[in-house]
Amino acid sequence: MIQPVGTAHTEPVLVYCPGLGTYPANTADGVTDVLAAVLDRQNQGNYSAARLKDVTAPRGLVLGKTVLDPRDEPVLHVFELDYRKHMDPPSTSAGPAAPPGALTSALYAVAGLIGLLRAARHPAKTRLAKWQLFYGLIAVTALVLCAVVAILSWLIAAGAGSWLPEQVKTFFGLNASAVALTAGAVTVGGWALWRTRLLALAATVQRIMRYFDEERHRQTVTLTLTEAVDSLRDNGWSGAVHILGYSFGSLVAFDALFPAQMATSTNSRLTEAVESLTTIGCPVDAVRLYRGGYLGGRGALVKDRFKWTNIVNLADIFASNFRDDADGTDGGTPVPIAGRIWPIENLRYGSDELGLMNVLKAKGFRTHDGYWGTPKEASCFDAVVGRWVRLGSDTEVSQG
């Protein structure tokens, strides 16, 4: 039996599963700073966030800060799940990848078009599904543009594009991996402005498609959560473990706790350690548009007293309530997962909804990034922080 190493910790642990984007708020430190500020406002005390010298990150986790109470005692340790490094395929050669990526880009573009057509015929939900299809069209367009420029760049690099005007060859030759400029769609100046964003969007969509298309790859990514909990216990962390998943990170957490294909034996450490799951802006309905059976055929690696809270903003293009036939947090029929109806508590954050004007203003994207920000801003954590942090041994933090 492996003996714990290092300092023993009995305080609760929050494992943050971030979204795919990289920005300060989408980190363990960013979350901890906001949680400390929320606790400070709710309890009129001097709560703070700090990095402790005796705290190190177990395997599979990135060290975050610790929430300290007015006596400077730790009440919640926050770590970040380091799953994103597994999202990209490993290098298969010593040299750099071929710049154009023509075949890969074309295959992803075709797969995206097929998926979009299928989703248009079988929408998972109501009005929100239509807007998700609209944004899906934008994502697929980026894939197609990427494929076009990749093929053109490959032709030029191979000397097969002699029929192209010299200006076009020079333009594409400067950046062989750039997203293509559709004829007459944008000007050269517009291309220079949007090229980076479109290329980044196409790359992100490809990463997401690979996650859902390749079972072994998805299991590799989600295995990071199981290994992280094992590592916590191996290193003397005996307190309750809470999982917080945001955006794509909430899908990773869900797939880890409710695996699509059950292993021959369950992981008792994971089951016993994890007390709760909180999902924020979870895009499960957008996934179900393209994969109708995504929630079916699953097992559950959680205990009966496991608590699941889902935070939804109805102006968020990606948010889901894990129900059928309704976009709101209350209506609709709960979706069975792992053979049973789980008591998912849907909490609505904000009063906006995703109407036409909000779509035209791209509010659906901004809202998805707006569940929290800096410690001085309002956040969605006011209603849930008391479920992770306790004052003393028995008294739960005030919910405000």
Side-chain angles (χ1 to χ4, degrees), residues 7-351:
T7 306
H9 295 278
T10 59
E11 302 85 15
V13 170
L14 180 67
V15 176
Y16 175 56
C17 305
L20 288 175
T22 54
Y23 50 95
N26 188 33
T27 62
D29 282 352
V31 169
T32 314
D33 288 338
V34 174
L35 292 179
V38 170
L39 286 168
D40 196 64
R41 288 194 294 266
Q42 288 184 353
N43 297 277
Q44 296 81 46
N46 297 316
Y47 281 84
S48 60
R51 198 178 304 282
L52 303 185
K53 294 181 180 179
D54 66 336
V55 175
T56 57
R59 183 184 69 253
L61 296 171
V62 176
L63 179 63
K65 294 180 180 179
T66 298
V67 179
L68 304 176
D69 67 11
R71 298 171 297 175
D72 286 336
E73 294 292 330
V75 292
L76 182 68
H77 299 281
V78 183
F79 293 96
E80 182 179 317
L81 186 67
D82 193 17
Y83 78 88
R84 287 181 291 196
K85 66 182 181 182
H86 298 288
M87 286 294 293
D88 295 316
S91 176
T92 56
S93 62
L103 179 59
T104 300
S105 299
L107 289 176
Y108 273 116
V110 172
L113 285 170
I114 294 174
L116 184 66
L117 292 174
R118 288 177 176 174
R121 294 177 56 194
H122 304 287
K125 306 258 312 247
T126 54
R127 182 177 58 182
L128 185 59
K130 298 176 182 178
W131 296 125
Q132 289 172 343
L133 283 171
F134 173 75
Y135 284 118
L137 177 62
I138 295 176
V140 170
T141 300
L143 288 175
V144 173
L145 293 175
C146 187
V148 170
V149 76
I151 292 171
L152 286 174
S153 300
W154 180 83
L155 289 172
I156 294 169
S162 58
W163 50 273
L164 291 171
E166 192 63 34
Q167 295 86 344
V168 174
K169 289 190 288 184
T170 302
F171 179 76
F172 284 108
L174 289 175
N175 193 331
S177 62
V179 181
L181 178 67
T182 356
V186 291
T187 64
V188 172
W191 165 254
L193 177 65
W194 290 101
R195 174 180 59 81
T196 302
R197 293 185 181 182
L198 286 173
L199 183 59
L201 174 60
T204 298
V205 173
Q206 288 187 18
R207 296 171 78 194
I208 294 173
M209 289 175 64
R210 180 170 182 259
Y211 176 85
F212 291 109
D213 288 343
E214 300 179 21
E215 178 70 24
R216 181 170 170 267
H217 172 58
R218 183 165 65 253
Q219 291 177 354
T220 299
V221 174
T222 58
L223 189 62
T224 55
L225 182 58
T226 303
E227 293 178 338
V229 172
D230 274 337
S231 185
L232 282 168
R233 290 303 190 238
D234 287 342
N235 285 272
W237 295 85
S238 59
V241 177
H242 303 279
I243 310 298
L244 169 63
Y246 164 64
S247 190
F248 189 84
S250 66
L251 295 177
V252 173
F254 170 72
D255 284 330
L257 298 177
F258 297 90
Q261 293 183 351
M262 286 293 290
T264 55
S265 61
T266 59
N267 187 299
S268 59
R269 264 186 165 179
L270 182 71
T271 301
E272 289 302 317
V274 176
E275 296 284 344
S276 71
L277 169 65
T278 301
T279 48
I280 300 177
C282 184
V284 71
D285 284 337
V287 176
R288 289 203 293 157
L289 274 173
Y290 296 90
R291 294 179 174 271
Y294 175 67
L295 296 181
R298 293 178 177 270
L301 300 182
V302 295
K303 50 197 168 189
D304 290 338
R305 65 177 183 275
F306 169 80
K307 295 181 180 179
W308 186 349
T309 303
N310 182 55
I311 299 179
V312 180
N313 189 322
L314 297 185
D316 177 3
I317 185 63
F318 298 115
S320 310
N321 65 353
F322 289 88
R323 291 175 175 268
D324 279 328
D325 308 322
D327 295 328
T329 57
D330 299 324
T333 304
V335 179
I337 302 171
R340 59 171 284 191
I341 300 296
W342 291 86
I344 304 175
E345 181 183 8
N346 281 298
L347 299 180
R348 181 172 178 178
Y349 180 64
S351 58

